Amino acid sequence: MGTIVDDHFMVCTDCLMIIANDDATGLDHFLDEESAAAREREVRQSIAAAQRDKRYIVVGDSEHDEEFSTSSCDCCNTTLADSRHHCVLMT
Ligand SMILES: [Zn+2]
């Protein structure tokens, strides 16, 4: 059992897909192949940065998800208006 660093780590759908399922194939639905690959790199780098110092992100409680938010993703910092998903940053 780890220690909670941030119990309100709100991430965008792109980040969640990769955090939860290590799956970036959903990006292709919205972007062409080149943009999707660039976006995937950006998200993976953001996740790696958030998980520095032995921290790790766990998917939180979907009841705390926000259907529509313009606040920045706590992982990749996108401000694209979309849903934000509740995660917890542990160490
Ligand atoms: Zn994100």
Side-chain angles (χ1 to χ4, degrees), residues 10-27 29-30 39 43 47 59 65-69 71-76 78 80-87:
M10 301 302 287
V11 306
C12 69
T13 306
D14 292 350
C15 288
L16 184 77
M17 276 192 302
I18 295 178
I19 292 165
N21 303 316
D22 196 27
D23 176 15
T25 53
L27 296 174
H29 294 303
F30 307 104
R39 177 71 178 133
V43 170
I47 293 170
V59 177
D65 286 1
E66 288 165 28
E67 285 286 312
F68 185 82
S69 174
S71 51
S72 61
C73 168
D74 287 336
C75 189
C76 71
T78 182
L80 191 74
D82 192 9
S83 48
R84 297 288 181 266
H85 303 271
H86 179 242
C87 289

Side-chain angles (χ1 to χ4, degrees), residues 5 14 17 25 28 32 35-37 67 70 72 78 90-91:
V5 177
D14 292 350
M17 276 192 302
T25 53
D28 294 337
D32 62 60
S35 308
E67 285 286 312
T70 53
S72 61
T78 182
M90 308 281 296
T91 190

